[in-house]
Amino acid sequence: SLEHLRGLHLHREGQRSRRDSPCFQTMLPVFLVVVIVVMTVLILMASAYILVYFQAEEDRNTAWMPKVAVVLGLTLASLVVLLPPLDVANRSSGGELDVSLLYQVMFVSIAILVVVVIPFLIFYYEAEEPENARGQLCRAMVYEAVTLASAATVLVLMWIFLGRAQIPVTHYVYEDQFLDATAPTPAAGCGLGSGCVAGKSNFYEIGVTPVVYIMALSSFVGWFFLALFGGIGMAALPLDLMLAYKSRPQSISLQVIYYLRQRTLRAAFDLE
């Protein structure tokens, strides 16, 4: 009915006015910040739980630094996956948060973890010398310095020669004096009979910052590792589940327990 449509229109106008109000725009960034903090804490707790659940009995209360690296790696991997939904929510609320800065911080943190932290821990624990802890640390630092210098050299050279992005654009050339003012877009005004030559596809090349290049390079290389390890995991998971089901603990009868106990006792007496 007409009154129903009028009421629906008023309801939509009220929602739009509340959404555009300064109070609503202030509440959304606060809500997003709270969500970021809560999700980060929950992911840290989940990563620590996964580490504790899957670690071997021999590794308990030892080698704390590799465990910290594992927790940080799981946390960063999870947070990077959650960045696109956060970006969408931020844009729909007016874009108050600097999500691009979060992207840069996350990707640079992953690069530091991959190039600095993990190699140093590998070198440190592979060169384990119980009687010479200082020599172990110095050797790990030397190997890490070589690794960091090699990675930095390759990255700088690639950024100098390949650090550019090509943006696809359409180039129009207009030969008359005025465009068609009734056209909805300049491209639509370049029709037949006008002085506008047909558009020509081209690329606009711009230089990128080192941080953006690190993000692009890590994403490009990461796709190959995702395809490799993801494919291996998808193929090995059903086999592991079947083997785990086959070798699962099963209940035994009292007769079997008594027989195993007597056999163990006889073996112990024979050893005497």
Side-chain angles (χ1 to χ4, degrees):
S1 62
L2 183 59
E3 293 185 358
H4 177 72
L5 293 176
R6 186 181 296 110
L8 182 61
H9 176 72
L10 293 176
H11 177 69
R12 291 179 178 176
E13 289 294 331
Q15 286 184 339
R16 185 179 304 170
S17 61
R18 287 193 299 270
R19 186 171 61 248
D20 296 337
S21 63
C23 182
F24 185 82
Q25 296 293 337
T26 305
M27 290 175 59
L28 274 177
V30 174
F31 174 74
L32 291 178
V33 171
V34 172
V35 170
I36 292 172
V37 174
V38 172
M39 290 302 300
T40 303
V41 173
L42 291 178
I43 291 174
L44 278 171
M45 295 173 60
S47 301
Y49 175 79
I50 292 173
L51 173 68
V52 173
Y53 184 80
F54 287 103
Q55 71 177 350
E57 292 292 336
E58 296 82 6
D59 293 334
R60 293 184 180 275
N61 300 324
T62 59
W64 288 101
M65 290 305 298
K67 295 177 181 178
V68 173
V70 170
V71 172
L72 288 178
L74 293 174
T75 303
L76 289 175
S78 302
L79 291 177
V80 167
V81 174
L82 296 177
L83 275 179
L86 176 65
D87 194 4
V88 173
N90 180 59
R91 289 178 180 274
S92 62
S93 64
E96 296 292 334
L97 296 179
D98 191 0
V99 183
S100 62
L101 179 61
L102 292 179
Y103 274 108
Q104 296 179 14
V105 170
M106 295 299 298
F107 278 92
V108 171
S109 300
I110 292 175
I112 293 175
L113 187 68
V114 171
V115 178
V116 179
V117 178
I118 294 178
F120 175 78
L121 293 176
I122 293 175
F123 297 143
Y124 182 78
Y125 286 98
E126 286 293 331
E128 185 174 0
E129 299 179 7
E131 298 180 357
N132 188 7
R134 181 176 296 180
Q136 177 183 356
L137 179 61
C138 293
R139 183 177 302 179
M141 293 180 65
V142 170
Y143 289 160
E144 174 57 31
V146 174
T147 303
L148 184 60
S150 302
T153 302
V154 173
L155 179 63
V156 170
L157 291 177
M158 292 182 65
W159 176 66
I160 292 175
F161 293 102
L162 303 175
R164 283 162 178 75
Q166 291 183 343
I167 302 175
V169 295
T170 303
H171 184 211
Y172 292 95
V173 178
Y174 192 72
E175 299 177 351
D176 288 344
Q177 186 175 2
F178 298 104
L179 285 172
D180 185 4
T182 61
T185 60
C190 292
L192 295 177
S194 66
C196 189
V197 181
K200 181 181 179 181
S201 298
N202 203 344
F203 290 95
Y204 181 70
E205 188 174 282
I206 60 174
V208 298
T209 62
V211 176
V212 174
Y213 189 76
I214 291 174
M215 295 171 60
L217 183 62
S218 59
S219 300
F220 178 74
V221 176
W223 274 112
F224 292 97
F225 285 103
L226 177 63
L228 176 63
F229 293 106
I232 294 174
M234 293 294 290
L237 180 61
L239 180 61
D240 289 343
L241 292 177
M242 289 187 291
L243 293 177
Y245 178 79
K246 184 179 179 180
S247 61
R248 71 190 187 280
Q250 299 181 3
S251 60
I252 56 179
S253 61
L254 294 177
Q255 291 81 4
V256 176
I257 295 176
Y258 179 76
Y259 169 75
L260 294 175
R261 181 179 180 184
Q262 294 299 322
R263 189 178 67 178
T264 304
L265 289 175
R266 286 195 299 268
F269 288 143
D270 294 338
L271 291 176
E272 295 179 354

